Amino acid sequence: MSSKRRVSYFYPPEVGHFYYGPSHPMKPHRLKLAHHLVLSYGLYREMECYRPHPATPQEMAAFHSDDYVNFLSRINPDNLRQYSGQMQKFNAGEYTDCPVFDGLFEFTQLYTGASIDGAIRLNNDDTDIAINWSGGLHHAKKSEASGFCYINDIVLAILELLKVHARVLYIDIDVHHGDGVEEAFYCTDRVMTFSLHKYGDFFPGTGHIKDVGAKDGAGYSVNAPLTSGMTDGTYEEIFKPVMAKIMEVYRPGAIVLQCGADSLTGDRLGCFNLSLKGHAECVKYTKSFGVPTLVLGGGGYTIRNVARCWAYETSVLLDKEISDDIPYNDYYEYYAPDFKLHLTPEPRENLNTEASLESVRSELLQQLQGLQGAPSVQMQEVPPEFDLQKEKNAEGQNDGGEGDDVRSDRGQTKDGGDSKVHEAEFYDVND
């Protein structure tokens, strides 16, 4: 198999303009930082770049309840009083970690549409790897916002992949447990979920090693509960053997990889101690199996490091070496004082002992050994895909074009500044 794989990149230009509010740790602005590193490193030249379609309420209702989607589409900061009862029911608004901010529904449409479009291109065999760093919001439930997540783009993308693939593997390397995705597929063997996360007095509180699935899905939820201080080496000691066993016994037709960057060293909310290379090793290893893969973002709250991580992982997916010196770009000052790409882990204790890691690893390998081979499914006629709306008339297939980084006047950005022209945003479709 050729190691050079076709990579598609989905970036909704407006997605970085939204603002959860002062002091809220989730900053969509990080997506602009990451995108500008992809541009300034020249990585966009190695990929097909797309402006994805905004997901419709009907698409969202493939997983979410109609009344919840309807609520999200109507709520805004000016009509909160009308919806006080529903806000409590759906876990949104003041006193929750899911605020109602200006443009909320549009934000969910953008990141969700990008994940669905990526899944469709994989289904059509138009690409081998689809990247959407704006996606990966893994905590959202069928009828409830949770953990900064409103619409679960991952579940919707997996449902799209299941139209073509009998089995889909979901991998989650965010520091938080991927509870929304696990819950959605807890009772089916058509999706296996594999999550490595901090467990114990930590949000969302789920992901115990004994939570293995139920009914037809018994054994198909794989949880690696870890504690603070995980290093590159210890993370790899869990990830690689378990992943190898999963691929041996489950043999998925497609993979969805959530690359939450809050497992990096120095994260504002996370407590692991991974370098970029340690985090990206999971991406590299997953890629080595040659299975069609949708790569998504997720958590990450030290935004300069989130951008570093996802730009570097884009280069890993492209097999492209990039410099440790960050190239000049619109957000260059964010990377002071060293202006380097890679991070040095903190000198802190790893509370995961060799014995505790061996216990987790052996229990998970035993769980996987007990599965009765890869489940099969009788495939019917493939349902129609959601329309993949592509406009082919702009630079770089609608990414990096003139209007791609125009900030709105609604006060959604943290800095409120004017957009600068970035030379790499103007390029020929033939570059």
Side-chain angles (χ1 to χ4, degrees):
M1 183 192 334
S2 164
S3 64
K4 186 72 175 168
R5 306 185 69 201
R6 298 168 297 163
V7 180
S8 298
Y9 176 78
F10 296 83
Y11 178 67
E14 307 84 6
V15 77
H17 300 165
F18 297 89
Y19 184 45
Y20 275 61
S23 80
H24 197 289
M26 177 59 106
K27 311 284 186 194
H29 186 60
R30 67 202 179 129
L31 300 167
K32 278 197 276 189
L33 270 67
H35 179 62
H36 277 256
L37 284 183
V38 167
L39 292 175
S40 55
Y41 272 116
L43 297 171
Y44 67 90
R45 296 189 189 95
E46 312 293 322
M47 309 183 278
E48 287 196 338
C49 299
Y50 293 92
R51 182 201 296 267
H53 84 288
T56 65
Q58 293 75 24
E59 289 173 321
M60 294 173 178
F63 170 59
H64 293 283
S65 64
D66 288 328
D67 58 343
Y68 176 58
V69 174
N70 190 42
F71 162 76
L72 289 178
S73 70
R74 292 170 184 269
I75 190 90
N76 65 62
D78 299 324
N79 64 9
L80 295 181
R81 285 191 177 172
Q82 290 172 237
Y83 291 96
S84 55
Q86 283 187 285
M87 282 164 62
Q88 205 168 354
K89 175 183 174 185
F90 296 128
N91 191 42
E94 210 178 359
Y95 312 119
T96 77
D97 57 10
C98 297
V100 174
F101 54 86
D102 193 15
L104 166 60
F105 191 62
E106 184 188 348
F107 175 63
T108 68
Q109 288 182 290
L110 293 172
Y111 74 73
T112 301
S115 292
I116 292 171
D117 282 357
I120 290 170
R121 287 197 72 75
L122 291 166
N123 278 351
N124 291 342
D125 194 27
D126 290 332
T127 195
D128 301 309
I129 296 167
I131 301 171
N132 169 27
W133 295 126
S134 69
L137 279 76
H138 58 171
H139 296 305
K141 310 295 195 300
K142 183 182 177 74
S143 300
E144 186 181 308
S146 175
F148 319 157
C149 307
Y150 302 86
I151 293 293
N152 198 316
D153 62 291
I154 306 169
V155 171
L156 293 167
I158 291 173
L159 290 172
E160 192 65 37
L161 291 168
L162 287 171
K163 293 177 180 179
V164 169
H165 301 282
R167 295 174 303 282
V168 175
L169 170 64
Y170 170 67
I171 306 164
D172 191 315
I173 60 173
D174 194 290
V175 76
H176 300 96
H177 177 235
D179 58 334
V181 184
E182 177 182 278
E183 184 180 297
F185 299 110
Y186 203 64
C187 296
T188 179
D189 57 8
R190 291 196 60 201
V191 178
M192 177 176 279
T193 59
F194 174 32
S195 177
L196 303 93
H197 48 269
K198 163 78 191 273
Y199 181 79
D201 193 27
F202 196 71
F203 183 86
T206 50
H208 191 281
I209 199 164
K210 299 291 187 194
D211 296 341
V212 297
K215 300 181 180 174
D216 289 347
Y220 293 92
S221 290
V222 182
N223 283 303
L226 306 165
T227 192
S228 301
M230 282 298 288
T231 61
D232 293 356
T234 51
Y235 202 81
E236 193 175 321
E237 284 170 23
I238 294 284
F239 185 85
K240 285 190 174 177
V242 176
M243 179 64 181
K245 190 68 178 174
I246 286 172
M247 297 305 287
E248 176 196 325
V249 302
Y250 192 62
R251 303 203 306 275
I255 294 172
V256 177
L257 174 59
Q258 196 266 23
C259 300
D262 47 10
S263 41
L264 291 174
T265 185
D267 189 76
R268 182 174 165 187
L269 299 186
C271 51
F272 286 178
N273 202 16
L274 300 182
S275 72
L276 260 58
K277 288 181 178 173
H279 197 269
E281 189 59 34
C282 299
V283 177
K284 191 175 182 180
Y285 190 65
T286 301
K287 174 178 176 279
S288 72
F289 290 95
V291 174
T293 303
L294 176 62
V295 180
L296 304 173
Y301 307 100
T302 302
I303 67 171
R304 62 188 181 276
N305 293 347
V306 176
R308 285 175 160 116
C309 180
W310 293 343
Y312 179 62
E313 287 174 349
T314 303
S315 78
V316 166
L317 291 163
L318 290 166
D319 291 319
K320 192 91 176 157
E321 294 267 333
I322 57 174
S323 169
D324 190 33
D325 294 315
I326 288 179
Y328 185 77
N329 64 84
D330 284 5
Y331 304 102
Y332 188 66
E333 65 277 7
Y334 279 76
Y335 306 104
D338 62 351
F339 304 100
K340 297 291 185 188
L341 180 66
H342 287 282
L343 305 173
T344 305
E346 296 169 343
R348 50 180 292 200
E349 185 184 1
N350 183 0
L351 299 179
N352 299 271
T353 64
E354 197 51 57
S356 69
L357 292 168
E358 176 54 39
S359 169
V360 169
R361 183 169 54 237
S362 60
E363 187 161 343
L364 294 182
L365 292 174
Q366 201 172 341
Q367 173 187 334
L368 291 163
Q369 188 61 44
L371 296 178
Q372 299 297 306
S376 59
V377 61
Q378 185 175 354
M379 298 298 281
Q380 308 296 326
E381 184 181 348
V382 177
E385 66 188 41
F386 295 133
D387 284 338
L388 179 53
Q389 296 169 9
K390 297 182 301 220
E391 300 167 36
K392 297 255 187 182
N393 58 347
E395 300 93 344
Q397 295 189 38
N398 287 298
D399 191 38
E402 188 170 358
D404 277 10
D405 201 18
V406 177
R407 300 179 183 173
S408 79
D409 57 4
R410 294 186 294 175
Q412 291 168 333
T413 57
K414 188 177 177 191
D415 57 352
D418 294 326
S419 176
K420 299 177 189 173
V421 171
H422 188 289
E423 62 179 12
E425 287 200 24
F426 298 91
Y427 57 90
D428 245 14
V429 73
N430 298 317
D431 274 2

